[in-house]
Amino acid sequence: MAEDLIRLSKRISQSGLASRREADEWIAKGWVMVDDHIAQLGEKVTPAQRIRISSKAKAEQNERVTILLNKPVGYVSGQAEDGYLPAKVLITPENHWAKDPSGIRYSRRQLEHLVPAGRLDIDSVGLLVLTQDGRVAKAIIGENSTVEKEYIVRVANADGSPASLSPQGLALLNHGLSLDDKPLMPAQVEWLNESELRFVLQEGKKRQIRRMCEAVGLKVLRLKRVRVGRVVLGALPVGSWRYLSPDEHF
């Protein structure tokens, strides 16, 4: 039946083999077979049809890298904007962390199609993930992602005085706030010390933590992301980067 048809690239993506963009690239290169014919871009398939992927696709995918950058203040996550440089310009041999345990060698080809999986605004620092691998991007920022992001946030009262927050305010940060007229998912928020809060989120709306803090009378003085899923920033110096090791997973 017609309603059983699904776009081939979507089916490949749902299987976890690749992102939809990658799947379309494979189809365009003739690396995907549907039953006994080479697939065409835009083709739709039924759940019963057999899909085969060329080993060339897997080999190409294995060459794609994911990079972890300790982003400094003053760089934007994605495309250059308002005169500010994208964080990608920091991915140079000179900034490669000398203690990178991955064993992966640098190549300029690794900069091609290297995009941020999630954002840190220009005033924020810490772990920024850049990847060539659509599977990684989907795991971190896909609409069904449950990958946690952890932040250390230094705060003060809105007037600049030392931070104070009622138990009710802290409860609201954990659950009960809305942004853009949409309820936020539950978060984990707790005090680390008298001036810093620890946030753990499973979503990433634009300037979410700053806006959450404003809603309870706090302003953010410094925001640092220290973890994405099971991958931590660790000892990576500010402005330096390393590769995601083969045994690391978000």
Side-chain angles (χ1 to χ4, degrees), residues 213-227:
C213 288
E214 287 172 6
V216 295
L218 297 175
K219 69 175 181 179
V220 172
L221 304 180
R222 182 172 183 268
L223 189 155
K224 180 179 183 180
R225 183 157 62 205
V226 295
R227 177 172 65 87

Side-chain angles (χ1 to χ4, degrees), residues 21-246:
R21 179 183 61 81
E22 285 176 317
D24 277 333
E25 289 176 1
W26 292 354
I27 295 166
K29 292 176 179 178
W31 290 350
V32 181
M33 296 282 292
V34 176
D35 295 332
D36 58 355
H37 69 271
I38 296 174
Q40 301 298 311
L41 271 176
E43 183 169 347
K44 294 185 177 181
V45 296
T46 68
Q49 287 183 280
R50 184 185 182 199
I51 312 300
R52 288 179 290 166
I53 311 295
S54 168
S55 59
K56 293 179 182 178
K58 185 68 174 177
E60 181 190 68
Q61 203 172 48
N62 287 340
E63 292 178 358
R64 297 182 178 181
V65 299
T66 295
I67 284 173
L68 311 175
L69 169 69
N70 189 345
K71 188 189 88 67
V73 168
Y75 292 85
V76 293
S77 297
Q79 299 295 319
E81 56 184 74
D82 300 328
Y84 293 103
L85 292 173
K88 183 177 174 179
V89 303
L90 296 171
I91 311 304
T92 65
E94 294 76 19
N95 291 338
H96 187 193
W97 191 32
K99 296 181 180 180
D100 186 340
S102 70
I104 301 172
R105 297 186 63 178
Y106 175 81
S107 165
R108 286 192 62 83
R109 288 187 305 168
Q110 295 163 352
L111 299 179
E112 298 173 3
H113 308 298
L114 187 69
V115 296
R119 57 178 287 135
L120 277 176
D121 64 51
I122 194 167
D123 301 317
S124 301
V125 302
L127 182 57
L128 180 66
V129 180
L130 302 111
T131 187
Q132 294 178 314
D133 192 332
R135 296 170 300 177
V136 171
K138 183 179 179 181
I140 296 173
I141 58 174
E143 60 181 350
N144 297 317
S145 174
T146 58
V147 171
E148 293 181 344
K149 293 87 175 177
E150 181 177 344
Y151 304 82
I152 305 302
V153 185
R154 186 174 301 149
V155 293
N157 289 332
D159 62 3
S161 61
S164 59
L165 185 65
S166 68
Q168 293 81 5
L170 184 61
L172 274 176
L173 288 176
N174 278 271
H175 193 210
L177 293 177
S178 296
L179 292 181
D180 304 322
D181 298 321
K182 293 185 178 180
L184 294 175
M185 294 172 59
Q188 299 173 45
V189 186
E190 62 184 2
W191 286 106
L192 286 178
N193 52 55
E194 61 185 14
S195 63
E196 290 184 319
L197 289 162
R198 171 181 175 265
F199 279 72
V200 178
L201 308 178
Q202 288 186 339
E203 59 186 339
K205 296 183 182 296
K206 189 173 183 179
R207 298 179 74 84
Q208 177 173 336
I209 291 176
R210 296 177 189 276
R211 295 166 69 192
M212 290 173 69
C213 288
E214 287 172 6
V216 295
L218 297 175
K219 69 175 181 179
V220 172
L221 304 180
R222 182 172 183 268
L223 189 155
K224 180 179 183 180
R225 183 157 62 205
V226 295
R227 177 172 65 87
V228 176
R230 295 197 294 265
V231 176
V232 299
L233 180 64
L236 185 64
V238 175
S240 295
W241 62 273
R242 70 174 179 89
Y243 294 103
L244 183 75
S245 297

